[in-house]
Amino acid sequence: MKQALTLILMTTSALCCNAQGKVEDYKRAFSIGSKYNMQMVTGTADNARWTASNVFTFSLRTADGVKEREGRIGEDGTVSIGEPQREERHEGQGPAGFGGQRREGGQRMQMRGGQGQNRQTTPTTKEGPQLLQNHWMNVGDEKGGWPAMSPDSQHVAYIRDYNVWVSDVNGQNAHPISFDGTIDRYYSAYVQWSPDSRYVATCKIHVPEKRYVYYVESSPSTQLQPILHQQEYAKPGDEVKWRYPSVFEVATKRVIIPTNELFPNAYSLEDLSWNEDSKAITFEYNERGHKHYRLLEFNVETEKVRTLIEEEAKTFVNYNRLWHQRLADGHQMLWQSERDNWAHLYLYDLDKAKVIRQVTKGEWVVRQVLKVDEEQGVIYFTASGMNKDEDPYHIHYYKIGLDGKNLVSLTPGNGNHSARFNSDYTWLIDTYSRQDMAPVCVVRSVVNPEQGTEIGRGDVSQLVEKGWQMPEVFSAPGRDGKTMMWGIIQRPTNFDPSKKYPVIEYIYAGPGDAYVPKNFQVTNYYTNALSELGFIVVQLDGMGTSYRGKAFEEICYKNLKDAGFPDRKAWIRAAAQKYPYMDAENVGIYGCSAGGQESTTAVLLHGDFYKAAYSACGCHDNRMDKIWWNEQWMGYPVDSSYVECSNVYNAPKLERPLMLVVGEMDDNVDPASTMQVANALIKAGKDFELVVIPGAHHTVGETFGEHKRYDFFVKNLLGVNPPKWNEVK
């Protein structure tokens, strides 16, 4: 017994000697962002851009400072570099912005938002709830709009007294052509004339009673007393805005209303547009629950609706990725789909409502269509996963014929690529990097991309001389023992392989995207500083995230509590097996937003592996969060799966240290979501820490929370008392 006690004391003493978390470690953590920066990486070609079809400029970073350079493409295809010859610059077209449509509206752009503050500005008064104006979550009522002139310039159509009116262009002979519009079921101001000026199309609108979330701003800068804020906030299961297409024949005032057998339960009904022959309108129907998405055509002569293109799934259609573009003849359309498990392009005959051909195919995903050159019959696009010998998330640039032949890789080189094409798409400037490789910049011909001219290559020697630690890109099999999971390992600058380091995972598992950074970074806010305290910090994408095929992502369906944890645990254990200094028996986790939900879930449902969690602004119960994000992944109607994934429901299972953080003004995730977890933990008699940050919006914790996070992990994983705050300057 005495011998065992001595061994325990010796082990504890050894751990204390190895432990960091001291004042000097905190100072390094807080200053690491200023100690290392991109100015210390020489040789890079930054801000490369085309100023003409054969001329480009860039900034070359050298040991003597930044030098402006100009490159020219000779008639023989040679690339020459020299001093800029003129000041006037007209930037060429970049890789995006060439027609087509993608579901990238407010919902898409505000997915979970774990990385940003999302602050809103609103006028304040001293009394009454202050409604947040122009917020991305507000639902438009479509009441405002300009009168629409007919193509023959003879008439204008507009909304008056909730109905559609038409008058001569001079305002004479004004009369209604609809008569059933009311205060709560009115016609949209977004009216559209048919090309032959015979018909007017719009939608009848009903905006349901709105749900609001309220925030008390305890410490406003504008006044002494608190301010109550009010925000539109639809949640899963709430009634959604109703839109119904309606067509009016102007001369006869005939009303043409389609039956809704093919769009019975709309989450959204969008993109109402006329065909060129004025015989039909097309619109897109997104079913509530997102298991069906249809491009529909309503023939105003036969008054029949038919399906042109349909996406369906037993789980969900990821409508945010349904890019499409009608070709110039009006009878064909390129359409992106995951119907064969991989995001690919299909060419449709719209007259026959049939696929002509699958244009791209394989176990890889199309990421973005850049340009459709119909004259040359070529599509330019980005994709990932095509190169089997590298990280499957790396973006590469390609071209392929509309006939599905002659696929060409335009960006060779192992890395994540970002390219700028010249105006006629004959040359591109290709910049690529990895987390473990500084940027390389190459000018390439589209005809012969393998023979590029290198104009920049980053050199990290200055960083390494100052002790900088490059992150390691690491891959290991996930839960199935064969599918590789990809992530990064970050070590501290004073790394000592003879020590044993606790591991902290930064988690943001979405779903809806992939989150591990792929481009070179000198410092990563989520990993570098925290590692300086004496940890190895990791980040990875597990199953349930995007760009690895639909089956890979569908793990998340009605199952957000999974969050890829079986893959994460397998990956960390594999890393620890390779690197014995990683302590897989002492693992913490932290995250914000979706990551806040997931980090709490980690200690509730996987407390055998994760020993402590810091959770900021988490959507801890998906019934409490925004409608569009949660119904996409958890389905509709709201059912028991929402409860089973709830951290409120699972709160009594807590046996590990947990710090909950929330901004009192979080306008992304309802702050009540965090408070309800706290309430459940209190009722279950559980010990935890709660940090409420006055005035903060959607945040990882701001400066105060960051320091609290440092102390939390130093105390609970290193087992030492953190230094006093006034000692850390």
Side-chain angles (χ1 to χ4, degrees):
M1 183 69 180
K2 183 177 180 181
Q3 202 171 23
L5 181 60
T6 302
L7 181 60
I8 292 172
L9 290 172
M10 288 175 61
T11 304
T12 304
S13 176
L15 286 174
C16 290
C17 290
N18 285 336
Q20 291 183 213
K22 300 180 176 65
V23 170
E24 56 268 28
D25 303 315
Y26 274 75
K27 289 181 177 180
R28 265 199 334 279
F30 280 117
S31 65
I32 194 168
S34 59
K35 182 176 181 180
Y36 304 112
N37 55 65
M38 277 299 295
Q39 282 66 44
M40 300 169 69
V41 181
T42 58
T44 60
D46 302 325
N47 305 315
R49 58 202 182 276
W50 295 95
T51 59
S53 62
N54 66 333
V55 181
F56 60 91
T57 62
F58 62 97
S59 302
L60 182 66
R61 186 178 292 133
T62 71
D64 298 324
V66 176
K67 311 290 185 182
E68 295 301 317
R69 293 288 182 263
E70 182 176 83
R72 290 181 174 269
I73 312 297
E75 293 184 1
D76 60 353
T78 59
V79 178
S80 59
I81 306 297
E83 299 287 339
Q85 296 183 16
R86 57 192 175 93
E87 292 298 324
E88 184 179 357
R89 295 173 180 173
H90 303 282
E91 185 173 344
Q93 293 172 319
F98 289 92
Q101 300 175 25
R102 184 183 291 272
R103 306 265 70 78
E104 300 240 10
Q107 296 177 353
R108 169 71 173 169
M109 300 308 291
Q110 290 293 341
M111 296 184 69
R112 301 305 287 175
Q115 319 306 326
Q117 298 290 329
N118 229 358
R119 293 187 179 274
Q120 297 295 320
T121 302
T122 181
T124 59
T125 61
K126 294 185 178 180
E127 296 180 2
Q130 304 304 301
L131 179 64
L132 294 180
Q133 305 290 342
N134 303 317
H135 192 276
W136 57 268
M137 216 178 291
N138 292 357
V139 176
D141 57 18
E142 302 187 36
K143 289 183 177 179
W146 294 101
M149 181 178 290
S150 61
D152 63 8
S153 301
Q154 298 299 306
H155 298 91
V156 292
Y158 54 93
I159 302 300
R160 175 177 169 184
D161 298 330
Y162 314 115
N163 283 290
V164 183
W165 285 58
V166 171
S167 74
D168 298 339
V169 290
N170 60 8
Q172 300 298 311
N173 301 315
H175 60 279
I177 57 174
S178 78
F179 300 90
D180 59 340
T182 66
I183 191 171
D184 64 342
R185 290 184 184 265
Y186 52 88
Y187 287 94
S188 169
Y190 305 152
V191 297
Q192 295 188 50
W193 287 90
S194 60
D196 63 4
S197 301
R198 182 179 173 186
Y199 301 100
V200 168
T202 188
C203 282
K204 202 170 187 181
I205 304 293
H206 171 63
V207 178
E209 183 177 352
K210 295 181 178 180
R211 180 194 296 275
Y212 294 93
V213 167
Y214 296 87
Y215 313 93
V216 176
E217 185 179 4
S218 64
S219 311
S221 60
T222 56
Q223 63 187 54
L224 175 64
Q225 298 302 323
I227 298 173
L228 176 63
H229 295 270
Q230 177 182 352
Q231 177 192 331
E232 283 187 37
Y233 201 119
K235 296 188 177 184
D238 287 355
E239 187 180 356
V240 297
K241 184 170 79 173
W242 177 84
R243 304 179 85 243
Y244 205 101
S246 304
V247 178
F248 305 92
E249 188 174 29
V250 175
T252 65
K253 299 182 184 179
R254 181 168 67 102
V255 183
I256 311 167
I257 307 294
T259 57
N260 71 338
E261 287 91 347
L262 292 175
F263 55 100
N265 184 24
Y267 172 77
S268 65
L269 194 149
E270 300 178 338
D271 296 335
L272 199 71
S273 60
W274 282 97
N275 290 355
E276 290 185 359
D277 60 9
S278 298
K279 293 181 179 180
I281 58 171
T282 59
F283 56 94
E284 297 177 36
Y285 165 67
N286 186 1
E287 182 184 62
R288 189 81 184 265
H290 311 297
K291 292 188 177 182
H292 292 89
Y293 194 101
R294 299 186 183 111
L295 175 65
L296 298 173
E297 181 184 80
F298 174 42
N299 188 302
V300 297
E301 295 181 348
T302 65
E303 299 188 14
K304 301 292 185 182
V305 180
R306 68 175 181 135
T307 300
L308 300 181
I309 303 175
E310 179 172 16
E311 294 296 325
E312 59 181 334
K314 293 181 179 179
T315 54
F316 56 83
V317 174
N318 195 338
Y319 63 94
N320 289 300
R321 300 211 190 101
L322 292 181
W323 176 91
H324 56 83
Q325 181 173 319
R326 191 184 290 251
L327 300 189
D329 66 1
H331 300 283
Q332 294 183 346
M333 177 174 281
L334 280 169
W335 181 273
Q336 187 169 338
S337 170
E338 292 182 297
R339 63 188 59 178
D340 73 349
N341 187 59
W342 307 93
H344 282 301
L345 301 177
Y346 296 77
L347 182 63
Y348 264 86
D349 182 322
L350 295 179
D351 296 332
K352 297 179 180 179
K354 290 185 178 180
V355 174
I356 298 172
R357 71 180 65 91
Q358 183 174 350
V359 179
T360 62
K361 190 173 185 179
E363 294 184 358
W364 47 273
V365 298
V366 172
R367 298 288 290 265
Q368 183 183 12
V369 176
L370 308 175
K371 180 180 180 180
V372 180
D373 186 338
E374 294 187 51
E375 184 177 341
Q376 299 296 323
V378 176
I379 304 169
Y380 296 86
F381 66 98
T382 63
S384 56
M386 204 180 299
N387 300 332
K388 300 304 180 185
D389 60 342
E390 66 177 281
D391 187 328
Y393 296 94
H394 284 168
I395 293 173
H396 286 264
Y397 287 65
Y398 300 90
K399 68 173 183 174
I400 193 172
L402 274 166
D403 58 3
K405 299 177 181 179
N406 301 316
L407 175 67
V408 177
S409 172
L410 301 175
T411 54
N414 186 338
N416 198 44
H417 293 254
S418 176
R420 283 181 177 268
F421 289 86
N422 64 352
S423 58
D424 58 6
Y425 268 63
T426 55
W427 289 81
L428 65 151
I429 303 171
D430 172 24
T431 302
Y432 65 102
S433 69
R434 300 190 303 265
Q435 281 279 290
D436 59 359
M437 185 185 78
V440 176
C441 191
V442 182
V443 180
R444 305 184 190 276
S445 164
V446 171
V447 175
N448 189 13
E450 291 283 350
Q451 301 299 317
T453 300
E454 187 175 296
I455 62 172
R457 178 175 290 270
D459 182 347
V460 298
S461 299
Q462 289 186 37
L463 291 170
V464 174
E465 288 174 4
K466 291 184 176 293
W468 176 75
Q469 281 281 340
M470 179 180 286
E472 177 184 352
V473 177
F474 183 79
S475 62
R479 70 186 75 189
D480 61 4
K482 58 182 181 180
T483 305
M484 301 301 284
M485 305 297 142
W486 289 77
I488 54 175
I489 298 172
Q490 182 64 58
R491 300 167 179 85
T493 56
N494 62 351
F495 172 67
D496 182 349
S498 68
K499 292 184 177 181
K500 198 79 167 177
Y501 289 87
V503 177
I504 297 176
E505 179 183 357
Y506 167 66
I507 186 170
Y508 190 90
D513 209 329
Y515 304 97
V516 175
K518 300 301 174 183
N519 292 329
F520 178 80
Q521 296 172 292
V522 172
T523 57
N524 179 341
Y525 171 78
Y526 299 102
T527 60
N528 280 95
L530 192 55
S531 71
E532 291 302 303
L533 301 177
F535 305 107
I536 288 179
V537 185
V538 302
Q539 183 181 359
L540 67 143
D541 286 311
M543 289 187 180
T545 55
S546 299
Y547 308 126
R548 300 288 300 277
K550 187 166 175 57
F552 188 98
E553 187 169 35
E554 284 179 328
I555 295 294
C556 74
Y557 183 62
K558 289 186 177 293
N559 189 30
L560 289 183
K561 68 179 183 298
D562 179 274
F565 284 122
D567 311 303
R568 298 172 187 283
K569 292 190 286 186
W571 187 93
I572 292 172
R573 286 175 176 138
Q577 184 174 7
K578 181 177 181 179
Y579 302 118
Y581 48 77
M582 293 178 63
D583 189 354
E585 300 302 316
N586 193 14
V587 180
I589 188 169
Y590 88 97
C592 172
S593 195
Q597 175 184 15
E598 293 146 0
S599 53
T600 296
T601 300
V603 288
L604 296 180
L605 303 184
H606 303 275
D608 58 327
F609 185 81
Y610 293 100
K611 303 304 192 294
Y614 172 101
S615 303
C617 294
C619 168
H620 296 285
D621 189 315
N622 298 102
R623 297 169 294 181
M624 291 289 293
D625 194 33
K626 60 195 75 66
I627 183 174
W628 59 267
W629 196 89
N630 293 275
E631 286 193 6
Q632 169 76 89
W633 315 117
M634 293 295 292
Y636 173 85
V638 175
D639 58 17
S640 60
S641 65
Y642 279 78
V643 179
E644 292 162 5
C645 290
S646 169
N647 287 337
V648 178
Y649 173 75
N650 291 310
K653 300 177 182 178
L654 182 67
E655 298 296 336
R656 297 295 185 185
L658 170 65
M659 177 176 284
L660 297 173
V661 179
V662 65
E664 69 174 4
M665 289 291 293
D666 188 342
D667 56 348
N668 188 325
V669 175
D670 186 346
S673 189
T674 295
M675 301 307 289
Q676 289 185 3
V677 175
N679 181 56
L681 291 170
I682 291 169
K683 288 184 175 180
K686 299 298 181 178
D687 184 21
F688 69 102
E689 296 180 64
L690 175 64
V691 178
V692 180
I693 304 178
H697 290 241
H698 198 59
T699 176
V700 185
E702 301 191 345
T703 303
F704 178 78
E706 181 178 49
H707 202 149
K708 295 289 288 185
R709 180 167 71 252
Y710 291 176
D711 288 355
F712 175 80
F713 285 124
V714 164
K715 177 181 177 182
N716 289 291
L717 296 184
L718 290 179
V720 301
N721 290 322
K724 294 180 180 180
W725 283 32
N726 61 3
E727 296 176 348
V728 181
K729 303 280 187 181

